[in-house]
Structures are given as C-alpha cells and as structure tokens.
Amino acid sequence: MTEPLAAPQPALRAHRPEISAAKARRWGAFYYAEQVLRVMKGYSWSIVMYSVGQPVAYLFAMGVGLATLVDSGNAAFGGVSYLAFIAPALLVSAAVMTAANEFTFPVMDGFKWRRIYYGPHASPLTPQQIAAGQIMAVTLRLLLQSAIYFAAVALFGASPSGWGWAGILVATLTGLAFGLPLMAYSASITEDKGQFALVMRFIVMPLFLFSGTFFPLENLPPAVRWVGWISPIWHGTELGRVLSFGYHEAPLLTILHIAVLGGLAALGWLLTRRRFALRMGQ
Amino acid sequence: MHNEAILPSGTMTAHRPPGVVISAANLTKTYGDVAAVDGITFSVPAGESFGLLGPNGAGKSTTMKMIGGVTRRTSGNLSIMGLDPDTHGPEVRAHLGVVPQQDNLDEELRVRDNLLVYGRYFGLPMSYLKPKADELLEFAQLTDKAKSKVDALSGGMKRRLTIARSLINEPRILLLDEPTTGLDPQARHILWDRLFRLKEQGVTLILTTHYMDEAEQLCDRLIVVDKGRIMAEGSPAQLIREHSTREVVELRFGSERNAAIASRLEGIGDRLEVLPDRVLMYAHDGESALEQVSARGLRPLTSLVRRSSLEDVFLRLTGRSLVD
C-alpha cells in the first residue's frame, strides 16, 4: 500500500473562460460600476464635503439671508416659508449639477483623454455594460448626495410634509433626466473644444435660474416661460414641491412631470448605449 | 450552476482543427473606401509565438482588434478558439489577455488595484484575485510599487503593469500590440524576458511589431504585412533564407556619392540596394565582397559586414524600410 500523499497546496487557478464570459454577460454592468465606485472612493472626501457643504451654504444664504427680504406669507409660495419653497428646487438643482459633471468629463476621459474605457472593452464586458455600469455608479452617488442634502433641508425645518424624503428620488431621477442625454452627447465628442464649459454656462446655469427655482415660473414673462417647460429642473422641482409641502397643481401636471423625467432618462440611456456601442465597435 | 444555460447554444462544440487556436481566412476590414486589412489568411497553433511585422499603417493593429473581438470585420472568416468574435464577443475576450498599443491603465487607482479591478471584469472572486495580483506583481517586478499610484510609474513599469493586468485571467492566448514601442533598450530587454517566460509556459503569443529585432527574438513564425496584405510568411530564419542573402555589406560613400558609385559596384555580390545614406550589398560572403570592392579601387567612408535581418527581407519585399 502506498502512503497517502501529503495534501497538495491548493493551486491558484482562475475559473474557465466560459465561466468568465457567462458571468460577464449577466453581471458585467455591476462589475464596471464597481470600478467607477472604486475610483470615486479615491476622492470620497471631496464628494462628502461637497455634498454637505453645498446645501448648508445655500440653505443658510437663501433661507436665513434672502428669506428675511422675501414675504414668506406670499401666496405664490404655496403657503409655506420661502425656504421651504426653494428647498426642493435646490435639492434638484444640486443633483443636476453633479450629473452634469459626472456625465461629461469622465466620459471624455474614458474615450479620449486616458482611454479608460478601452481596458474593460478588451475584457468580456460589452460597451453597453460599460455605459450602464457608469450610470449605475453615478446614480448611487446622486442618491447619497441627495440624501445628505435632504437631511440638511430637514434640519433647517424646510420639509413640512412627511413625504419630503421622496425628494431624494425625484432629485436623482432629475439628475439622470438631464445627465443621460448629456452623456450621449459627451460620448459623441471626438475633439475637446471646450464644449463642456459651454454646456455649464449656457445650459445648466440658465436652467438653474429660470426653472422656477427661486420664484414661481409664472413670474417670468410668457416669452421665456418655455425655458421652464422644457427644463428637467422645473419638472423635478415642481414634483419635489408637491411631495414636500403639498404644492397645489393639477394632478395631470404631476403625472406629466414624472413622464417627462422618466422619458428623458430612458431616451438618454438608449442614445448613450447606442453611442458607446458605435464608438467602441469601429 | 446556471452558467452554461446563458451561453448561446453550440458555443462549446464549435469545430476547429486540433491545436489551432486562431484562424483567419480572407479577413478584411475597410473604413470607407480604404482597406486597412485586405484579405489576409493565417492560422496559429496553440503555444506558437506568432508575429505580424510591418510598418506603421500596415493594418497590424486593426487585425489585432479584430482578433481581440473589439472591432467587427467587414468580410472574411475569423475564429478564436472555434468562436466567431462577432457573435461571441464576451466568450472570445474571456479567452484572451490583451496588451494594447497605448496603455489604458486606471491612473487614479493604485498599481495593485488596477489588477483587482480588471480581474473583476472576468467575474473572478477576490479570494483568487488578491493572491494572484501579488503573484503577477512579482512576475512584473513591481512588488514594491504595489501601493503606488499608476501615474508615478515609468513608461517601462506601466508597460509591465499592463502585461500583468492582461494575465489576471490566466489567458492561454496573449495579444500584444507593439509591446515595446517607446521603451528604452533596458526596459525592452526586461519585457522580452518576461514574454519569453510566458512562451515557455505554453502561452500562445500574438504580437505586432515594427522592430525586426523584436520579431527575431520572440517569434517562431511571422507574417510580413504591408498595406493590409501578407507579403511573406515563415520563421525569421526561413524568411531571411528565402528573401535575402546570408550576409550584407553596408557601404557609405557620403550622401552625394552613393548613387553615383553604385554603378561601379555592379557584379559584386548577388544584389545591390541603394539607399539615400548607404549602399547595401547582398552577398553570401560579406568579407570577400568587401575585398572585391577594394580591388576595384573604391574607398568607402565606412563599411560594415553583418548578417541579414528581417529589415532586409522587408526592404526586398516592399522596396521600403520598416522604420522611416
């Protein structure tokens, strides 16, 4: 009889390529989201500081400073304090600004500057999964940031209704409604000619100012009111106000807000997928 | 496991000749009217080190991208491990390790994290990835850089990290696109040594290069590619035997005079090639050819007898040098 051999050291083996491929087909988008989150972790400190500092600064300036000059009893504010009136708008706008950053420069970095997408592109992941993974990671960031923002709003006593927390979801959805079409555009840019700076100055800022953020849209001259109607920020803000303090509007309009935001996000996602697949399949 | 269920049926039973891991037939890729790859045919058996040699713009990288399952072909057939990359992209890519021409490491992540993140794309568990990453860092001689940020690495180190990354899934086929372009001689030699070890372990290497010394060092067999077409195929020694002489005499008479003096060299050696800066004289015995030059009373400024290289093969086949 032979002596039983000493137990062999378990060899370090990767699973078979077939298993890699099957797993990637199923979970690929999550694998890429994991990567984006790991990179974000590298600057998590500045993300948290931004997420906390921004609402505190805005709420303090607007709610404590500006509010003393604004007649809070004004019926145009839906019967709540000025701070409660603008809080949903600030929450939504902050999400849109973060989305505007996350869906522009990193996309350019992926395709052109540091060509980060082309690493995973050579792995079993597909271009569509790379896009989806990035979207998922940014969605998570928007949720986290909006939750912190909402906590600050609640601390300032600016969320009268019990449904105010749903503003976290509204803000995230609005971020995607604005950010995903922008992501599709970013993915189509081959030469950086400062387009993103133009987007910030001539799209994000005007939308921020003229979307019923600081005063009701009706206060604008009719000639420029359309800016609000096409603005995801306006739809998100109005929806947030309904949830936060029962802002009075036609129920159909509330449904329209959800439809516009959902529709823009879905359209943006589809266009982004197509762009990514086209650009990486050449 | 449900893994098998999601694979398209027939994937694992595809037919291929035994031992062949890559086969291409009439492979073509056109961009608009331009054919980057113009009907090339080759096959690579397992364990071989196969090279694509050619100047910039010859279609090497495009061919690599098609093999790598990231660029769709325009026409022709292509199979990697019996799989069509157009229909089984993820399955094909799961078999491969890829070292692209341009490094695309995650510069914001640390060196070791680059390996872990990449391994996750293959669905590999952390229990495998952590020790594997350490093993690969050792292999790439980057262990003491494990916690550094990528942008702190030198060019050669980045290249080695890219190679380590490409090995995280233990591929049996490694695609290397211009692996040593832009590296200094010492860094190149370290890289060649690492690649040679992989070859010894039986990994199939597919590499493109425009350096003939690299092709001679690493390739068992190669195709010479120019303008998207295959000009010749064989082992480096075979190609030199078929398309060049054993030795070459390089003569320099001064830029103005090379062409004029060439006519007086007729009859010595098998063949003359007049380049702007020098005259190449192809002969079986370089020394005796050089003696004949002196016997004709010609005094070159410098002369050099050397072995024929793939550079000469390329010059013969295309009338142009590899590196402009």
Side-chain angles (χ1 to χ4, degrees):
Chain A
M1 277 298 169
T2 51
E3 285 281 304
L5 292 167
Q9 200 65 10
L12 195 56
R13 302 292 315 164
H15 55 224
R16 289 181 303 121
E18 292 77 20
I19 295 173
S20 290
K23 284 187 157 221
R25 273 189 188 269
R26 179 159 290 193
W27 303 110
F30 292 91
Y31 295 152
Y32 193 67
E34 205 179 307
Q35 184 274 354
V36 180
L37 291 173
R38 250 175 208 274
V39 173
M40 281 185 192
K41 217 175 93 186
Y43 54 98
S44 51
W45 185 238
S46 80
I47 289 182
V48 170
M49 287 310 288
Y50 177 82
S51 306
V52 175
Q54 205 205 11
V56 169
Y58 266 98
L59 291 170
F60 198 76
M62 304 293 164
V64 181
L66 189 60
T68 56
L69 301 175
V70 179
D71 177 10
S72 272
N74 195 324
F77 301 143
V80 291
S81 70
Y82 183 60
L83 185 60
F85 175 76
I86 62 166
L90 293 177
L91 176 61
V92 159
S93 303
V96 165
M97 286 187 194
T98 296
N101 272 310
E102 288 284 359
F103 289 127
T104 47
F105 301 103
V107 176
M108 204 64 180
D109 209 17
F111 280 118
K112 191 166 167 87
W113 293 330
R114 284 183 290 188
R115 303 171 54 80
I116 285 167
Y117 291 151
Y118 292 93
H121 185 37
S123 82
L125 304 191
T126 64
Q128 291 89 335
Q129 287 174 327
I130 294 172
Q134 184 159 357
I135 293 168
M136 281 167 21
V138 175
T139 303
L140 214 62
R141 179 182 168 180
L142 290 175
L143 280 170
L144 176 77
Q145 174 191 312
S146 302
I148 294 174
Y149 211 125
F150 178 72
V153 167
L155 279 176
F156 274 78
S159 178
S161 126
W163 281 96
W165 60 269
I168 298 168
L169 304 180
V170 172
T172 303
L173 177 63
T174 310
L176 296 175
F178 181 79
L180 295 184
L182 183 59
M183 187 184 192
Y185 169 67
S186 302
S188 73
I189 297 177
T190 51
E191 285 306 319
D192 174 27
K193 296 179 194 140
Q195 293 97 326
F196 296 149
L198 294 181
V199 167
M200 297 295 167
R201 264 169 234 161
F202 295 106
I203 299 181
V204 178
M205 278 318 282
L207 287 189
F208 174 53
L209 295 172
F210 301 115
S211 291
T213 323
F214 297 106
F215 47 85
L217 195 60
E218 292 73 43
N219 287 24
L220 279 178
V224 286
R225 255 180 235 167
W226 60 269
V227 175
W229 298 332
I230 60 163
S231 162
I233 297 183
W234 181 68
H235 289 284
T237 296
E238 296 292 282
L239 189 54
R241 282 176 180 148
V242 170
L243 292 163
S244 172
F245 56 87
Y247 190 54
H248 198 70
E249 68 172 15
L252 259 180
L253 201 52
T254 305
I255 293 169
L256 179 73
H257 297 322
I258 299 173
V260 167
L261 294 175
L264 279 173
L267 178 73
W269 190 311
L270 279 176
L271 290 175
T272 299
R273 279 172 61 95
R274 259 200 20 209
R275 270 282 148 218
F276 269 60
L278 267 173
R279 187 147 177 193
M280 285 195 237
Q282 294 290 313
Chain B
M1 287 296 283
H2 48 249
N3 289 324
E4 261 63 34
I6 9 179
L7 282 175
S9 58
T11 299
M12 294 306 131
T13 54
H15 296 289
R16 61 188 163 101
V20 169
V21 292
I22 297 175
S23 70
N26 274 319
L27 189 60
T28 302
K29 176 73 184 181
T30 54
Y31 292 102
D33 293 337
V34 184
V37 176
D38 195 3
I40 70 175
T41 300
F42 62 86
S43 67
V44 183
E48 187 178 61
S49 194
F50 181 79
L52 288 83
L53 179 74
N56 291 329
K60 307 183 302 277
S61 290
T62 308
T63 305
M64 289 294 256
K65 285 183 191 157
M66 287 190 280
I67 297 173
V70 295
T71 292
R72 297 176 81 85
R73 61 186 183 274
T74 308
S75 65
N77 284 320
L78 179 62
S79 120
I80 290 95
M81 301 300 286
L83 301 165
D84 181 338
D86 277 6
T87 54
H88 294 83
E91 286 73 22
V92 164
R93 295 194 294 274
H95 277 281
L96 305 174
V98 179
V99 178
Q101 195 169 350
Q102 265 176 298
D103 288 324
N104 48 30
L105 296 159
D106 255 309
E107 309 234 349
E108 282 169 297
L109 294 178
R110 294 177 193 284
V111 166
R112 185 166 176 268
D113 290 343
N114 260 275
L115 301 180
L116 300 180
V117 159
Y118 209 77
R120 292 296 293 145
Y121 300 155
F122 293 81
L124 292 161
M126 279 297 172
S127 58
Y128 160 83
L129 286 172
K130 285 182 174 172
K132 185 69 187 178
D134 294 332
E135 184 189 309
L136 287 172
L137 287 177
E138 192 70 42
F139 173 79
Q141 295 167 297
L142 289 170
T143 302
D144 54 337
K145 296 282 178 189
K147 293 208 185 318
S148 306
K149 289 255 180 179
V150 170
D151 45 17
L153 299 185
S154 71
M157 288 176 180
K158 281 186 190 172
R159 215 64 192 133
R160 295 208 300 274
L161 179 58
T162 304
I163 291 181
R165 189 182 71 171
S166 74
L167 297 172
I168 196 77
N169 58 324
E170 298 189 326
R172 302 303 295 160
I173 306 173
L174 192 60
L175 307 182
L176 302 129
D177 196 357
E178 306 276 355
T180 67
T181 298
L183 298 186
D184 62 58
Q186 195 197 354
R188 293 180 78 200
H189 281 283
I190 296 176
L191 252 178
W192 284 346
D193 168 63
R194 299 291 110 173
L195 294 177
F196 206 80
R197 281 173 203 226
L198 291 172
K199 184 169 146 49
E200 285 176 333
Q201 291 165 20
V203 175
T204 306
L205 302 181
I206 315 287
L207 72 132
T208 73
T209 180
H210 59 251
Y211 296 123
M212 68 247 161
D213 51 347
E214 185 159 283
E216 281 167 350
Q217 288 260 351
L218 292 175
C219 299
D220 301 324
R221 193 165 60 94
L222 50 94
I223 52 178
V224 180
V225 191
D226 190 36
K227 294 177 183 148
R229 294 178 160 277
I230 295 179
M231 310 297 291
E233 177 177 351
S235 69
Q238 221 175 348
L239 286 169
I240 291 167
R241 211 162 43 238
E242 280 169 24
H243 301 282
S244 190
T245 52
R246 199 173 71 106
E247 292 184 342
V248 189
V249 189
E250 293 199 8
L251 301 167
R252 289 171 199 264
F253 294 97
S255 315
E256 305 296 317
R257 301 174 60 222
N258 287 329
I261 288 181
S263 59
R264 295 171 60 191
L265 295 168
E266 295 290 344
I268 312 175
D270 297 0
R271 199 165 56 84
L272 278 181
E273 194 81 56
V274 185
L275 302 179
D277 62 333
R278 60 198 195 276
V279 179
L280 300 179
M281 182 183 276
Y282 290 92
H284 180 76
D285 182 350
E287 288 298 340
S288 81
L290 191 55
E291 278 166 25
Q292 292 178 54
V293 172
S294 319
R296 291 190 185 182
L298 296 169
R299 297 279 173 271
L301 301 175
T302 65
S303 61
L304 167 75
V305 177
R306 61 165 174 84
R307 288 281 195 158
S308 267
S309 74
L310 288 171
E311 177 86 46
D312 301 297
V313 173
F314 191 79
L315 193 62
R316 179 72 199 269
L317 290 169
T318 68
R320 290 182 293 122
S321 332
L322 266 171
V323 187
D324 315 312

